[in-house]
Amino acid sequence: MTCEQRPWQGRSVPRAFWREALAPYAQPRLGRSLLDLATSVVPYLVLTVLMYGQLAESYLLALALALPASGFLLRTYIMFHDCAHGSFLPWRRANEWLGVALGLIVYSPFLSWRHSHAVHHATAGDLDRRGVGDVLTLTVAEYASSGWRRRLAYRLFRNPLVMFGVGPVYALVVQPRLVSRSARPRIRRSVAATNIALAVLVTALCALVGWRAFLLVQMPPALLAGAAGVWLFYVQHQFEDTYWQSAPDWSYADAALRGSSYLKLPPLLQFFTGNIGLHHVHHLSTRIPNYNLQRAHDDNPIFHDVPTLSLADGLRAVRLKLWDEERGRLVTFAQARSSA
């Protein structure tokens, strides 16, 4: 095929092409967005109240409610995510205010998270700009030349028990509370204001129901949703034939179409994950709201030859640890040793 016949090869297609082709899908609809809130935030809050009510009767039943609550909390995070891209509501200021409010539910300062996530979109797949808003990935050569301490730290970081066990605690509780001294004043104020607001809310809830009840109810859904969120973020760019290039050869479109997966999930899981499995569409056009991603994928041939993962493929991808520049793929530690 010639370049003209291969629209999925990003560098052969002018940016104006996909911007024009995808513009009809990048139109938030207020009614549809309100429905998203009614099927994410509202059921999460209702289930949380029910969990508190069940504590005196049966904590096992409260834990049973934590499973759907975690799904609705994860879905709420997708609404927060869309607000950060300005794609959820038709008005910029409304996206900001709603994002700030949702940030209190998902424990994240909106402006700080929006900034780091924008950096992620601008640098995904760029070997020379790793480290902000992504999953730390070393090349085979970098790992081989590292000292034992760095190797051990990397192995621990990439261990599934750490990544999906400790990772959600760090991602939800610790990391959002921190801000770099070099961050813009507005972002520092956002983190401080969110921390203060959360401290007030948590203190008020603990005074109302007790700190033990607060932990027993709030933590299980948060940890389950956090683990699922970390896994989703991982498989969106960490699969065997993903895309990594050094800056001179890096392409935004190729990073979207070759380095962002189409994770095909069962309908119920696609609902709870807010269609974020259609990550290739989202990375090519961040202004498309979650509820238009599937239609954009189905209608445009540019998306029909992208890396596609099943649920099982996504689970197996956790084995992959290092980027092999010679083979152009992610490999396991064992594969890296065999090729040395």
Side-chain angles (χ1 to χ4, degrees), residues 229-247:
V230 170
W231 175 75
L232 280 169
F233 188 73
Y234 178 90
V235 299
Q236 285 161 1
H237 302 285
Q238 301 274 323
F239 49 92
E240 187 174 7
D241 54 346
T242 189
Y243 173 90
W244 283 98
Q245 286 287 347
S246 296

Side-chain angles (χ1 to χ4, degrees), residues 24-40 75 78-79 81-83 86-91 95 98 270-271 273-278 281-282 285-299:
Y25 308 94
Q27 303 295 328
R29 305 192 306 276
L30 179 60
R32 185 62 175 80
S33 298
L34 292 176
L35 179 62
D36 268 7
L37 292 176
T39 56
S40 56
R75 184 167 166 80
I78 302 303
M79 309 307 121
H81 165 269
D82 275 13
C83 287
S87 63
F88 191 63
L89 295 171
W91 312 282
N95 278 298
L98 179 59
Q270 185 164 341
F271 166 79
T273 58
N275 297 313
I276 201 62
L278 292 132
V281 183
H282 170 62
S285 180
T286 61
R287 297 305 295 270
I288 298 177
N290 72 87
Y291 46 78
N292 284 343
L293 291 173
Q294 185 70 63
R295 186 163 60 91
H297 169 88
D298 294 342
D299 292 351

Side-chain angles (χ1 to χ4, degrees), residues 177-253:
R177 314 281 75 80
L178 308 176
V179 62
S180 169
R181 291 183 179 180
S182 62
R184 300 174 203 167
R186 189 175 182 220
I187 290 177
R188 291 203 302 271
R189 289 194 298 270
S190 168
V191 174
T194 301
N195 290 346
I196 292 169
L198 283 173
V200 171
L201 287 173
V202 170
T203 301
L205 267 174
C206 288
L208 182 65
V209 302
W211 67 267
R212 183 173 177 273
F214 172 83
L215 292 177
L216 289 174
V217 168
Q218 300 294 148
M219 286 302 100
L223 294 178
L224 287 172
V230 170
W231 175 75
L232 280 169
F233 188 73
Y234 178 90
V235 299
Q236 285 161 1
H237 302 285
Q238 301 274 323
F239 49 92
E240 187 174 7
D241 54 346
T242 189
Y243 173 90
W244 283 98
Q245 286 287 347
S246 296
D249 299 316
W250 180 84
S251 159
Y252 177 88

Side-chain angles (χ1 to χ4, degrees), residues 138-141 143-144 151 154-155 319-327 329-340:
L138 295 181
T139 67
V140 171
Y143 180 79
R151 289 193 189 192
Y154 187 75
R155 279 183 173 272
R319 302 176 301 114
L320 305 171
K321 310 295 184 182
L322 298 165
W323 176 250
D324 190 323
E325 292 185 274
E326 292 186 2
R327 289 188 277 184
R329 61 184 60 249
L330 278 176
V331 297
T332 65
F333 285 125
Q335 290 170 330
R337 285 195 302 270
S338 69
S339 65

